[in-house]
């Protein structure tokens, strides 16, 4: 049941994040990236602070003493700055396609830093998946957009965030983890504005867009944090690819994007590699569980 709840929460969060991405991309057409980050972060942090206080958590800053929470918050800051900046410069469908390499990065990170065993087949799948990334961003070829490289930084930071989330002690509530995640956006937005990004007065439509982005971000964020703590990360990974489907639909419907054949082929390569890695991991886990114990 925990796995089923986790699957539902992940799928819901992917839909919410896709809508948030579309809203943020639209908002950055008239507002500075730092301004959007600051506003969404402030709204989300306020929501989770109120929920945390109502739940009896009177000292939300105390959890930053835990190294896992602190590292997770910093990685959230890096991932959001790079992701939103890329969204403002690159088509939504391209950003979403490259972002699908995140589960492969999580697998690689778990092997390199957490000591999880990853055989040559899954390392091959990881390599093939990142070849798919190169098919999409095409460095050195006509049509290459340097800003698309920012998504790779996002992938690395998100992978670190998800791996560290597993190390967050169980007694630290998801409400406080989410509060600090949104607080990281506030800090990142303030930093970008301090570095010279010009702030503009939002139009009435921008205020509505910001409010909607805050709502979808808050809902999606809580869902993904709860899911990662509720079920095994490897069981949830395949359902994170729903974000690509949602984002492609929104990119075509709202921004009139038309992903070319190489972008779609690269996305297919990433998905195929990630699904193979997932199936291989589950097969090994089942084999280990079925192995007889010591006599």
């Amino acid at each position: 049941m925990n796995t089923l709840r986790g699957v539902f929460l992940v799928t819901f969060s992917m839909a919410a994040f896709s809508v948030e991405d579309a809203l943020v991309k639209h908002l950055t057409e008239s507002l500075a990236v730092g301004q959007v980050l600051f506003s969404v972060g402030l709204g989300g942090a306020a929501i989770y602070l109120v929920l945390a206080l109502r739940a009896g958590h009177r000292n939300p800053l105390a959890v930053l003493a835990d190294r896992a929470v602190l590292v997770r918050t910093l990685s959230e800051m890096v991932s959001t700055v790079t992701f939103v900046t890329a969204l403002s410069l690159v088509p939504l469908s391209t950003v979403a396609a490259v972002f699908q390499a995140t589960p492969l990065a999580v697998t690689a990170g778990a092997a390199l830093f957490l000591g999880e065993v990853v055989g040559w087949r899954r390392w091959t799948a990881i390599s093939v998946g990142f070849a798919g990334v190169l098919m999409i961003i095409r460095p050195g070829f006509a049509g290459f957009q340097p800003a698309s490289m920012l998504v790779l930084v996002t992938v690395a930071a998100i992978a670190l965030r998800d791996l560290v989330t597993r190390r967050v002690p169980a007694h630290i509530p998801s409400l406080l983890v989410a509060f600090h995640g949104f607080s990281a956006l506030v800090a990142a937005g303030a930093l970008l504005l301090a570095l010279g990004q010009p702030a503009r007065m939002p139009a009435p439509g921008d205020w509505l867009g910001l409010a909607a982005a805050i709502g979808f971000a808050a809902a999606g964020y809580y869902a993904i944090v709860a899911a990662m703590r509720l079920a095994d990360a490897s069981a949830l990974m395949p359902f994170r690819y729903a974000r690509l489907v949602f984002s492609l639909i929104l990119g075509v419907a709202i921004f009139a994007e038309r992903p070319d054949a190489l972008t779609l082929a690269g996305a297919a390569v990433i998905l195929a590699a990630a699904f193979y890695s997932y199936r291989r991991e589950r097969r090994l886990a089942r084999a280990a569980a079925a192995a007889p114990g010591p006599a």
Side-chain angles (χ1 to χ4, degrees):
M1 289 303 295
N2 281 346
T3 299
L4 288 176
R5 293 190 187 100
V7 167
F8 171 77
L9 288 170
V10 166
T11 305
F12 170 79
S13 70
M14 294 303 103
F17 284 144
S18 296
V19 175
E20 180 207 1
D21 292 345
L23 288 167
V24 166
K25 182 172 180 62
H26 174 71
L27 288 166
T28 56
E29 294 175 357
S30 56
L31 302 175
V33 170
Q35 193 173 0
V36 174
L37 284 176
F38 185 89
S39 301
V40 174
L42 187 63
I47 290 172
Y48 281 107
L49 179 60
V50 170
L51 293 175
L53 292 175
R54 289 186 62 183
H57 308 299
R58 301 302 177 190
N59 190 8
L61 297 180
V63 301
L64 287 177
D66 183 87
R67 181 178 297 181
V69 176
L70 179 60
V71 173
R72 189 188 187 284
T73 301
L74 293 175
S75 62
E76 188 74 62
M77 181 186 301
V78 173
S79 67
T80 305
V81 169
T82 53
F83 186 76
V84 174
T85 303
L87 271 179
S88 68
L89 301 171
V90 180
L92 175 61
S93 54
T94 299
V95 174
V98 175
F99 191 73
Q100 301 313 304
T102 300
L104 295 172
V106 170
T107 300
L112 295 173
F113 303 111
L114 299 184
E116 293 189 12
V117 177
V118 175
W120 68 269
R121 291 179 179 85
R122 283 196 287 163
W123 277 118
T124 301
I126 291 169
S127 300
V128 170
F130 281 100
V133 170
L134 294 178
M135 292 171 62
I136 297 170
I137 61 179
R138 296 162 226 170
F141 291 87
F144 169 60
Q145 296 176 286
S148 62
M149 299 293 288
L150 289 171
V151 191
L152 294 179
V153 181
T154 303
V155 167
I158 289 290
L160 175 60
R161 183 200 70 182
D162 287 353
L163 290 170
V164 171
T165 299
R166 297 193 227 172
R167 300 300 191 208
V168 174
H171 69 271
I172 296 179
S174 297
L175 288 173
L176 294 184
V177 175
F179 165 72
H180 286 293
F182 277 102
S183 297
L185 272 65
V186 176
L191 178 62
L192 290 178
L193 292 172
L195 291 176
Q197 283 195 354
R200 305 181 183 91
M201 177 59 68
D206 293 331
W207 286 113
L208 291 175
L210 287 170
I214 290 169
F216 282 106
Y221 199 97
Y222 182 79
I224 192 65
V225 171
M228 293 296 292
R229 301 183 69 179
L230 191 64
D232 183 71
S234 62
L236 300 178
M237 282 302 167
F239 299 93
R240 298 184 71 148
Y241 303 125
R243 186 170 185 169
L244 176 59
V245 177
F246 296 135
S247 295
L248 286 173
I249 293 172
L250 291 171
V252 171
I254 297 177
F255 302 104
E257 296 176 1
R258 295 295 183 269
D260 60 21
L262 199 55
T263 296
L264 294 176
V269 168
I270 295 171
L271 293 180
F275 268 112
Y276 174 82
S277 178
Y278 162 74
R279 288 177 62 85
R280 180 69 183 169
E281 182 176 355
R282 299 303 290 174
R283 185 179 305 160
L284 293 173
R286 287 195 297 268

